[in-house]
Amino acid sequence: MSAEPLPTSDVIGLTKVAPFSRRGFMTASAAVTAGYTLAAGPVRADAIKTETSGLATGDVRIKVADDEMPGYFARPAGVSNPPVVLVAMEIFGLHEYIKDVTRRLAKLGAFAVAPDYYFRKGVDLTKVTDIPQLLPIVNSKPDAELLSDLDGTATWARSEGGDTSRLGIIGFCRGGRTVWEYAAHSSTLKAGAAFYGPLVDPPNPVWPKSPTQLAGEMKAPVLGLYGEADAGIPVATVEAFKAALAADKKTAEFKIYPGAPHGFHADYRPRYRKEAAEDAWSQMQAWFRKYGVLS
């Protein structure tokens, strides 16, 4: 089943941004060499790079319902039974920023895995050069298939020695929406952290319910991290979702960062906001420790 390029709130937030100076950014060729996708725009020369010392990292193949799904993992070397954290990517594919996030999580003691769940389309999203080319691919991903792929990723991590009794999920942009969807699906998830994930979807037959429509079905506590200046996800939408969760007595907390745009944690992009990003990362760690994902 296909889907038209829809004006999803994450894409609106990504594309509506104030002008910026291009000083301090990599050339396009340098960005590609470093493993970033060009569709995301110019890449900051000072993007965070987490070293692999003390970690086991690499590309993997994950058995899912109908195929083998590519992925990337990072875990602390020589540590038995580390907690498992699934990393839900943006629409840009499994590029360097998402891989670096898995390494950051591994430095915190987690067995982090980022599945490349758009792989069935046969297109390397990291090589796509503009967002309109991405939308027919990412918007046609059925939620049912997505959730099954995440379950398969957790199963793979458990088979590799990860402790899925301490299962967490973190996601950014479209992956933030995935966090909410997975929290409504999984009975084994301990906690999630959603960075500026869309809460209301445009009509799409392969997305039966938006996060807001799933408020009453949430099975795990989720931390929502949002930007006040997000052009695609208004604060009023976040507050309405927060109220719906509270009405259904679901465990969730939200932090809205003043002046922060969509994608404020993406340290490789112009919209990166260091203070908000660092605080959000600290909030995520505290949340995961509170609910038993991290020690």
Side-chain angles (χ1 to χ4, degrees), residues 245-290:
L245 290 166
D248 285 311
K249 296 181 171 54
K250 301 301 180 180
T251 302
E253 290 184 10
F254 292 82
K255 185 159 186 180
I256 299 174
Y257 291 91
H262 190 85
F264 63 80
H265 184 269
D267 53 83
Y268 69 101
R269 307 195 72 206
R271 62 188 63 244
Y272 174 59
R273 300 294 183 269
K274 185 176 187 292
E275 184 175 347
E278 291 180 350
D279 183 80
W281 191 254
S282 294
Q283 296 285 336
M284 175 276 296
Q285 293 179 60
W287 188 257
F288 279 176
R289 290 190 177 104
K290 179 177 181 179

Side-chain angles (χ1 to χ4, degrees), residues 185-225:
H185 161 79
S186 175
S187 59
T188 59
L189 184 69
K190 290 299 183 184
F195 284 70
Y196 33 86
L199 302 174
V200 178
D201 302 325
N204 188 334
V206 299
W207 299 345
K209 291 184 179 181
S210 70
T212 295
Q213 291 171 312
L214 289 169
E217 300 179 37
M218 294 295 159
K219 298 176 178 65
V222 178
L223 173 66
L225 301 157

